[in-house]
PDB file of all heavy atoms in Angstrom:
ATOM      1  N   LEU A  12      -1.297 -17.376   6.286  1.00  0.00           N
ATOM      2  CA  LEU A  12      -1.133 -18.717   6.810  1.00  0.00           C
ATOM      3  C   LEU A  12       0.206 -19.184   6.844  1.00  0.00           C
ATOM      4  O   LEU A  12       0.623 -20.003   7.581  1.00  0.00           O
ATOM      5  CB  LEU A  12      -2.033 -19.656   5.842  1.00  0.00           C
ATOM      6  CG  LEU A  12      -3.576 -19.439   6.081  1.00  0.00           C
ATOM      7  CD1 LEU A  12      -4.268 -20.084   4.900  1.00  0.00           C
ATOM      8  CD2 LEU A  12      -3.963 -20.088   7.321  1.00  0.00           C
ATOM      9  N   MET A  13       1.110 -18.672   5.922  1.00  0.00           N
ATOM     10  CA  MET A  13       2.462 -18.940   5.884  1.00  0.00           C
ATOM     11  C   MET A  13       3.379 -18.247   6.910  1.00  0.00           C
ATOM     12  O   MET A  13       4.530 -18.455   7.076  1.00  0.00           O
ATOM     13  CB  MET A  13       3.094 -18.779   4.465  1.00  0.00           C
ATOM     14  CG  MET A  13       2.443 -19.536   3.388  1.00  0.00           C
ATOM     15  SD  MET A  13       2.890 -19.069   1.693  1.00  0.00           S
ATOM     16  CE  MET A  13       4.587 -19.721   1.569  1.00  0.00           C
ATOM     17  N   GLY A  14       2.668 -17.399   7.640  1.00  0.00           N
ATOM     18  CA  GLY A  14       3.396 -16.683   8.776  1.00  0.00           C
ATOM     19  C   GLY A  14       4.062 -15.413   8.408  1.00  0.00           C
ATOM     20  O   GLY A  14       4.836 -14.913   8.952  1.00  0.00           O
ATOM     21  N   ARG A  15       3.871 -15.010   7.151  1.00  0.00           N
ATOM     22  CA  ARG A  15       4.471 -13.824   6.558  1.00  0.00           C
ATOM     23  C   ARG A  15       3.611 -12.635   6.686  1.00  0.00           C
ATOM     24  O   ARG A  15       3.004 -12.161   5.740  1.00  0.00           O
ATOM     25  CB  ARG A  15       4.942 -14.149   5.023  1.00  0.00           C
ATOM     26  CG  ARG A  15       5.936 -15.261   5.004  1.00  0.00           C
ATOM     27  CD  ARG A  15       5.975 -15.851   3.658  1.00  0.00           C
ATOM     28  NE  ARG A  15       6.601 -15.060   2.703  1.00  0.00           N
ATOM     29  CZ  ARG A  15       6.920 -15.396   1.378  1.00  0.00           C
ATOM     30  NH1 ARG A  15       6.606 -16.595   1.056  1.00  0.00           N
ATOM     31  NH2 ARG A  15       7.476 -14.505   0.509  1.00  0.00           N
ATOM     32  N   TYR A  16       3.470 -12.095   7.852  1.00  0.00           N
ATOM     33  CA  TYR A  16       2.401 -11.222   8.157  1.00  0.00           C
ATOM     34  C   TYR A  16       2.489  -9.887   7.639  1.00  0.00           C
ATOM     35  O   TYR A  16       1.422  -9.437   7.193  1.00  0.00           O
ATOM     36  CB  TYR A  16       2.220 -11.064   9.686  1.00  0.00           C
ATOM     37  CG  TYR A  16       2.001 -12.396  10.508  1.00  0.00           C
ATOM     38  CD1 TYR A  16       2.663 -12.681  11.505  1.00  0.00           C
ATOM     39  CD2 TYR A  16       1.033 -13.380   9.937  1.00  0.00           C
ATOM     40  CE1 TYR A  16       2.504 -13.930  12.250  1.00  0.00           C
ATOM     41  CE2 TYR A  16       0.798 -14.602  10.613  1.00  0.00           C
ATOM     42  CZ  TYR A  16       1.555 -14.759  11.774  1.00  0.00           C
ATOM     43  OH  TYR A  16       1.353 -16.024  12.363  1.00  0.00           O
ATOM     44  N   GLU A  17       3.746  -9.331   7.485  1.00  0.00           N
ATOM     45  CA  GLU A  17       3.814  -7.921   6.882  1.00  0.00           C
ATOM     46  C   GLU A  17       3.444  -8.065   5.399  1.00  0.00           C
ATOM     47  O   GLU A  17       2.742  -7.149   4.858  1.00  0.00           O
ATOM     48  CB  GLU A  17       5.195  -7.408   6.991  1.00  0.00           C
ATOM     49  CG  GLU A  17       5.495  -6.972   8.397  1.00  0.00           C
ATOM     50  CD  GLU A  17       4.533  -5.916   8.967  1.00  0.00           C
ATOM     51  OE1 GLU A  17       4.292  -4.982   8.227  1.00  0.00           O
ATOM     52  OE2 GLU A  17       4.039  -6.081  10.076  1.00  0.00           O
ATOM     53  N   LYS A  18       3.944  -9.053   4.685  1.00  0.00           N
ATOM     54  CA  LYS A  18       3.480  -9.240   3.305  1.00  0.00           C
ATOM     55  C   LYS A  18       2.023  -9.429   3.202  1.00  0.00           C
ATOM     56  O   LYS A  18       1.325  -8.830   2.204  1.00  0.00           O
ATOM     57  CB  LYS A  18       4.270 -10.426   2.783  1.00  0.00           C
ATOM     58  CG  LYS A  18       4.277 -10.304   1.174  1.00  0.00           C
ATOM     59  CD  LYS A  18       5.356 -11.455   0.679  1.00  0.00           C
ATOM     60  CE  LYS A  18       5.521 -11.304  -0.887  1.00  0.00           C
ATOM     61  NZ  LYS A  18       6.585 -12.158  -1.366  1.00  0.00           N
ATOM     62  N   ALA A  19       1.442 -10.186   4.116  1.00  0.00           N
ATOM     63  CA  ALA A  19      -0.046 -10.391   4.088  1.00  0.00           C
ATOM     64  C   ALA A  19      -0.756  -9.064   4.228  1.00  0.00           C
ATOM     65  O   ALA A  19      -1.766  -8.734   3.563  1.00  0.00           O
ATOM     66  CB  ALA A  19      -0.399 -11.349   5.184  1.00  0.00           C
ATOM     67  N   LYS A  20      -0.288  -8.256   5.195  1.00  0.00           N
ATOM     68  CA  LYS A  20      -0.962  -6.950   5.416  1.00  0.00           C
ATOM     69  C   LYS A  20      -1.009  -6.096   4.207  1.00  0.00           C
ATOM     70  O   LYS A  20      -1.928  -5.350   3.884  1.00  0.00           O
ATOM     71  CB  LYS A  20      -0.310  -6.341   6.705  1.00  0.00           C
ATOM     72  CG  LYS A  20      -0.953  -4.946   7.025  1.00  0.00           C
ATOM     73  CD  LYS A  20      -0.493  -4.507   8.393  1.00  0.00           C
ATOM     74  CE  LYS A  20       0.946  -4.111   8.447  1.00  0.00           C
ATOM     75  NZ  LYS A  20       1.410  -3.582   9.766  1.00  0.00           N
ATOM     76  N   THR A  21       0.276  -6.040   3.552  1.00  0.00           N
ATOM     77  CA  THR A  21       0.503  -5.149   2.279  1.00  0.00           C
ATOM     78  C   THR A  21      -0.643  -5.601   1.355  1.00  0.00           C
ATOM     79  O   THR A  21      -1.281  -4.777   0.778  1.00  0.00           O
ATOM     80  CB  THR A  21       1.777  -5.308   1.702  1.00  0.00           C
ATOM     81  OG1 THR A  21       2.796  -4.807   2.782  1.00  0.00           O
ATOM     82  CG2 THR A  21       1.995  -4.557   0.582  1.00  0.00           C
ATOM     83  N   TYR A  22      -0.709  -6.864   1.058  1.00  0.00           N
ATOM     84  CA  TYR A  22      -1.733  -7.403   0.046  1.00  0.00           C
ATOM     85  C   TYR A  22      -3.104  -7.070   0.374  1.00  0.00           C
ATOM     86  O   TYR A  22      -3.962  -6.691  -0.353  1.00  0.00           O
ATOM     87  CB  TYR A  22      -1.484  -8.840  -0.248  1.00  0.00           C
ATOM     88  CG  TYR A  22      -0.394  -9.094  -1.332  1.00  0.00           C
ATOM     89  CD1 TYR A  22       0.831  -9.738  -0.898  1.00  0.00           C
ATOM     90  CD2 TYR A  22      -0.446  -8.625  -2.538  1.00  0.00           C
ATOM     91  CE1 TYR A  22       1.911  -9.884  -1.901  1.00  0.00           C
ATOM     92  CE2 TYR A  22       0.495  -8.886  -3.612  1.00  0.00           C
ATOM     93  CZ  TYR A  22       1.602  -9.544  -3.098  1.00  0.00           C
ATOM     94  OH  TYR A  22       2.611  -9.694  -4.066  1.00  0.00           O
ATOM     95  N   HIS A  23      -3.442  -7.286   1.729  1.00  0.00           N
ATOM     96  CA  HIS A  23      -4.834  -7.044   2.018  1.00  0.00           C
ATOM     97  C   HIS A  23      -5.187  -5.544   1.998  1.00  0.00           C
ATOM     98  O   HIS A  23      -6.337  -5.176   1.666  1.00  0.00           O
ATOM     99  CB  HIS A  23      -5.036  -7.499   3.620  1.00  0.00           C
ATOM    100  CG  HIS A  23      -5.360  -9.033   3.578  1.00  0.00           C
ATOM    101  ND1 HIS A  23      -6.061  -9.714   2.785  1.00  0.00           N
ATOM    102  CD2 HIS A  23      -4.779  -9.940   4.494  1.00  0.00           C
ATOM    103  CE1 HIS A  23      -6.065 -10.931   3.070  1.00  0.00           C
ATOM    104  NE2 HIS A  23      -5.302 -11.180   4.148  1.00  0.00           N
ATOM    105  N   LYS A  24      -4.191  -4.621   2.275  1.00  0.00           N
ATOM    106  CA  LYS A  24      -4.500  -3.252   2.263  1.00  0.00           C
ATOM    107  C   LYS A  24      -4.705  -2.822   0.730  1.00  0.00           C
ATOM    108  O   LYS A  24      -5.637  -2.051   0.462  1.00  0.00           O
ATOM    109  CB  LYS A  24      -3.376  -2.357   2.851  1.00  0.00           C
ATOM    110  CG  LYS A  24      -3.411  -2.308   4.263  1.00  0.00           C
ATOM    111  CD  LYS A  24      -2.361  -1.458   4.859  1.00  0.00           C
ATOM    112  CE  LYS A  24      -2.391  -1.337   6.335  1.00  0.00           C
ATOM    113  NZ  LYS A  24      -1.342  -0.420   6.850  1.00  0.00           N
ATOM    114  N   GLN A  25      -3.887  -3.488  -0.132  1.00  0.00           N
ATOM    115  CA  GLN A  25      -4.140  -3.246  -1.539  1.00  0.00           C
ATOM    116  C   GLN A  25      -5.444  -3.684  -2.049  1.00  0.00           C
ATOM    117  O   GLN A  25      -6.195  -3.063  -2.965  1.00  0.00           O
ATOM    118  CB  GLN A  25      -3.005  -3.863  -2.451  1.00  0.00           C
ATOM    119  CG  GLN A  25      -1.530  -3.228  -2.252  1.00  0.00           C
ATOM    120  CD  GLN A  25      -0.497  -3.894  -2.945  1.00  0.00           C
ATOM    121  OE1 GLN A  25      -0.350  -5.198  -2.886  1.00  0.00           O
ATOM    122  NE2 GLN A  25       0.250  -3.170  -3.594  1.00  0.00           N
ATOM    123  N   ALA A  26      -5.865  -4.835  -1.596  1.00  0.00           N
ATOM    124  CA  ALA A  26      -7.146  -5.425  -2.119  1.00  0.00           C
ATOM    125  C   ALA A  26      -8.238  -4.442  -1.495  1.00  0.00           C
ATOM    126  O   ALA A  26      -9.265  -4.246  -2.216  1.00  0.00           O
ATOM    127  CB  ALA A  26      -7.275  -6.803  -1.502  1.00  0.00           C
ATOM    128  N   LEU A  27      -8.147  -4.097  -0.257  1.00  0.00           N
ATOM    129  CA  LEU A  27      -9.192  -3.189   0.300  1.00  0.00           C
ATOM    130  C   LEU A  27      -9.325  -1.911  -0.503  1.00  0.00           C
ATOM    131  O   LEU A  27     -10.484  -1.412  -0.831  1.00  0.00           O
ATOM    132  CB  LEU A  27      -8.846  -2.935   1.782  1.00  0.00           C
ATOM    133  CG  LEU A  27      -9.818  -1.962   2.418  1.00  0.00           C
ATOM    134  CD1 LEU A  27     -11.308  -2.479   2.436  1.00  0.00           C
ATOM    135  CD2 LEU A  27      -9.382  -1.729   3.871  1.00  0.00           C
ATOM    136  N   ALA A  28      -8.168  -1.244  -0.850  1.00  0.00           N
ATOM    137  CA  ALA A  28      -8.198  -0.112  -1.628  1.00  0.00           C
ATOM    138  C   ALA A  28      -8.963  -0.231  -2.905  1.00  0.00           C
ATOM    139  O   ALA A  28      -9.782   0.601  -3.362  1.00  0.00           O
ATOM    140  CB  ALA A  28      -6.724   0.488  -1.739  1.00  0.00           C
ATOM    141  N   ILE A  29      -8.566  -1.320  -3.615  1.00  0.00           N
ATOM    142  CA  ILE A  29      -9.275  -1.488  -4.892  1.00  0.00           C
ATOM    143  C   ILE A  29     -10.810  -1.766  -4.774  1.00  0.00           C
ATOM    144  O   ILE A  29     -11.595  -1.210  -5.470  1.00  0.00           O
ATOM    145  CB  ILE A  29      -8.720  -2.773  -5.657  1.00  0.00           C
ATOM    146  CG1 ILE A  29      -7.153  -2.446  -5.993  1.00  0.00           C
ATOM    147  CG2 ILE A  29      -9.370  -3.172  -6.859  1.00  0.00           C
ATOM    148  CD1 ILE A  29      -6.508  -3.650  -6.454  1.00  0.00           C
ATOM    149  N   ARG A  30     -11.179  -2.531  -3.775  1.00  0.00           N
ATOM    150  CA  ARG A  30     -12.601  -2.931  -3.678  1.00  0.00           C
ATOM    151  C   ARG A  30     -13.331  -1.562  -3.098  1.00  0.00           C
ATOM    152  O   ARG A  30     -14.556  -1.493  -3.566  1.00  0.00           O
ATOM    153  CB  ARG A  30     -12.713  -3.926  -2.514  1.00  0.00           C
ATOM    154  CG  ARG A  30     -12.234  -5.347  -3.078  1.00  0.00           C
ATOM    155  CD  ARG A  30     -12.153  -6.431  -1.999  1.00  0.00           C
ATOM    156  NE  ARG A  30     -12.073  -7.778  -2.658  1.00  0.00           N
ATOM    157  CZ  ARG A  30     -11.957  -8.812  -1.879  1.00  0.00           C
ATOM    158  NH1 ARG A  30     -11.935  -8.869  -0.662  1.00  0.00           N
ATOM    159  NH2 ARG A  30     -11.900 -10.020  -2.589  1.00  0.00           N
ATOM    160  N   LEU A  31     -12.769  -0.812  -2.344  1.00  0.00           N
ATOM    161  CA  LEU A  31     -13.439   0.498  -1.852  1.00  0.00           C
ATOM    162  C   LEU A  31     -13.633   1.412  -3.161  1.00  0.00           C
ATOM    163  O   LEU A  31     -14.710   1.928  -3.275  1.00  0.00           O
ATOM    164  CB  LEU A  31     -12.635   1.140  -0.810  1.00  0.00           C
ATOM    165  CG  LEU A  31     -12.803   0.601   0.616  1.00  0.00           C
ATOM    166  CD1 LEU A  31     -11.686   1.260   1.487  1.00  0.00           C
ATOM    167  CD2 LEU A  31     -14.169   0.889   1.202  1.00  0.00           C
ATOM    168  N   SER A  32     -12.728   1.403  -4.006  1.00  0.00           N
ATOM    169  CA  SER A  32     -12.811   2.252  -5.177  1.00  0.00           C
ATOM    170  C   SER A  32     -13.831   1.766  -6.138  1.00  0.00           C
ATOM    171  O   SER A  32     -14.522   2.563  -6.816  1.00  0.00           O
ATOM    172  CB  SER A  32     -11.489   2.460  -5.861  1.00  0.00           C
ATOM    173  OG  SER A  32     -11.094   1.297  -6.465  1.00  0.00           O
ATOM    174  N   GLN A  33     -14.074   0.438  -6.209  1.00  0.00           N
ATOM    175  CA  GLN A  33     -15.034  -0.178  -7.188  1.00  0.00           C
ATOM    176  C   GLN A  33     -16.326  -0.506  -6.681  1.00  0.00           C
ATOM    177  O   GLN A  33     -17.319  -0.579  -7.475  1.00  0.00           O
ATOM    178  CB  GLN A  33     -14.233  -1.417  -7.753  1.00  0.00           C
ATOM    179  CG  GLN A  33     -13.061  -1.143  -8.447  1.00  0.00           C
ATOM    180  CD  GLN A  33     -13.088  -0.301  -9.831  1.00  0.00           C
ATOM    181  OE1 GLN A  33     -13.962  -0.495 -10.577  1.00  0.00           O
ATOM    182  NE2 GLN A  33     -12.213   0.598  -9.894  1.00  0.00           N
ATOM    183  N   LEU A  34     -16.418  -0.879  -5.353  1.00  0.00           N
ATOM    184  CA  LEU A  34     -17.644  -1.360  -4.853  1.00  0.00           C
ATOM    185  C   LEU A  34     -18.368  -0.412  -3.777  1.00  0.00           C
ATOM    186  O   LEU A  34     -19.490  -0.685  -3.440  1.00  0.00           O
ATOM    187  CB  LEU A  34     -17.408  -2.729  -4.248  1.00  0.00           C
ATOM    188  CG  LEU A  34     -16.834  -3.829  -5.086  1.00  0.00           C
ATOM    189  CD1 LEU A  34     -16.362  -5.011  -4.289  1.00  0.00           C
ATOM    190  CD2 LEU A  34     -17.705  -4.181  -6.161  1.00  0.00           C
ATOM    191  N   GLY A  35     -17.644   0.497  -3.258  1.00  0.00           N
ATOM    192  CA  GLY A  35     -18.268   1.348  -2.210  1.00  0.00           C
ATOM    193  C   GLY A  35     -18.047   0.807  -0.806  1.00  0.00           C
ATOM    194  O   GLY A  35     -17.230  -0.185  -0.775  1.00  0.00           O
ATOM    195  N   GLU A  36     -18.557   1.332   0.164  1.00  0.00           N
ATOM    196  CA  GLU A  36     -18.189   1.027   1.536  1.00  0.00           C
ATOM    197  C   GLU A  36     -19.000  -0.183   2.170  1.00  0.00           C
ATOM    198  O   GLU A  36     -18.574  -0.673   3.194  1.00  0.00           O
ATOM    199  CB  GLU A  36     -18.351   2.230   2.515  1.00  0.00           C
ATOM    200  CG  GLU A  36     -17.327   3.274   2.078  1.00  0.00           C
ATOM    201  CD  GLU A  36     -17.490   4.597   2.993  1.00  0.00           C
ATOM    202  OE1 GLU A  36     -18.375   4.506   3.873  1.00  0.00           O
ATOM    203  OE2 GLU A  36     -16.675   5.460   2.898  1.00  0.00           O
ATOM    204  N   LYS A  37     -20.147  -0.544   1.530  1.00  0.00           N
ATOM    205  CA  LYS A  37     -21.055  -1.482   2.257  1.00  0.00           C
ATOM    206  C   LYS A  37     -21.224  -2.890   1.407  1.00  0.00           C
ATOM    207  O   LYS A  37     -22.087  -3.566   1.705  1.00  0.00           O
ATOM    208  CB  LYS A  37     -22.425  -0.870   2.315  1.00  0.00           C
ATOM    209  CG  LYS A  37     -22.583   0.361   2.995  1.00  0.00           C
ATOM    210  CD  LYS A  37     -22.168   0.116   4.552  1.00  0.00           C
ATOM    211  CE  LYS A  37     -22.319   1.343   5.398  1.00  0.00           C
ATOM    212  NZ  LYS A  37     -21.959   1.166   6.819  1.00  0.00           N
ATOM    213  N   HIS A  38     -20.157  -3.160   0.588  1.00  0.00           N
ATOM    214  CA  HIS A  38     -20.254  -4.494  -0.152  1.00  0.00           C
ATOM    215  C   HIS A  38     -19.670  -5.528   0.747  1.00  0.00           C
ATOM    216  O   HIS A  38     -18.727  -5.292   1.549  1.00  0.00           O
ATOM    217  CB  HIS A  38     -19.445  -4.274  -1.528  1.00  0.00           C
ATOM    218  CG  HIS A  38     -19.752  -5.446  -2.407  1.00  0.00           C
ATOM    219  ND1 HIS A  38     -19.095  -6.578  -2.316  1.00  0.00           N
ATOM    220  CD2 HIS A  38     -20.567  -5.476  -3.516  1.00  0.00           C
ATOM    221  CE1 HIS A  38     -19.515  -7.408  -3.377  1.00  0.00           C
ATOM    222  NE2 HIS A  38     -20.364  -6.746  -4.034  1.00  0.00           N
ATOM    223  N   PRO A  39     -20.254  -6.715   0.493  1.00  0.00           N
ATOM    224  CA  PRO A  39     -19.742  -7.979   1.370  1.00  0.00           C
ATOM    225  C   PRO A  39     -18.310  -8.168   1.186  1.00  0.00           C
ATOM    226  O   PRO A  39     -17.609  -8.649   2.113  1.00  0.00           O
ATOM    227  CB  PRO A  39     -20.524  -9.127   0.852  1.00  0.00           C
ATOM    228  CG  PRO A  39     -21.810  -8.480   0.480  1.00  0.00           C
ATOM    229  CD  PRO A  39     -21.506  -7.231  -0.157  1.00  0.00           C
ATOM    230  N   SER A  40     -17.683  -7.779   0.001  1.00  0.00           N
ATOM    231  CA  SER A  40     -16.285  -7.889  -0.284  1.00  0.00           C
ATOM    232  C   SER A  40     -15.451  -6.988   0.608  1.00  0.00           C
ATOM    233  O   SER A  40     -14.343  -7.276   0.992  1.00  0.00           O
ATOM    234  CB  SER A  40     -15.929  -7.723  -1.740  1.00  0.00           C
ATOM    235  OG  SER A  40     -16.473  -8.781  -2.527  1.00  0.00           O
ATOM    236  N   ILE A  41     -15.992  -5.866   0.902  1.00  0.00           N
ATOM    237  CA  ILE A  41     -15.401  -4.988   1.875  1.00  0.00           C
ATOM    238  C   ILE A  41     -15.290  -5.487   3.232  1.00  0.00           C
ATOM    239  O   ILE A  41     -14.321  -5.427   3.873  1.00  0.00           O
ATOM    240  CB  ILE A  41     -16.170  -3.530   1.832  1.00  0.00           C
ATOM    241  CG1 ILE A  41     -16.293  -2.956   0.425  1.00  0.00           C
ATOM    242  CG2 ILE A  41     -15.413  -2.608   2.763  1.00  0.00           C
ATOM    243  CD1 ILE A  41     -14.922  -2.764  -0.216  1.00  0.00           C
TER     244      ILE A  41
END
């Protein structure tokens, strides 16, 4: 939302990696 897209992408990728490791592939958080 602040227009800092590369930083946003980095954080979203980190969040996705953690969620995949803890929740599996079919969770709503994924």
Side-chain angles (χ1 to χ4, degrees):
L12 289 167
M13 295 172 75
R15 298 161 69 176
Y16 299 137
E17 286 305 312
K18 199 165 186 176
K20 182 167 65 175
T21 297
Y22 275 114
H23 281 317
K24 284 185 173 181
Q25 289 176 312
L27 176 61
I29 294 170
R30 287 173 167 179
L31 282 170
S32 70
Q33 299 296 317
L34 301 172
E36 297 181 353
K37 297 296 183 181
H38 194 276
S40 292
I41 303 300

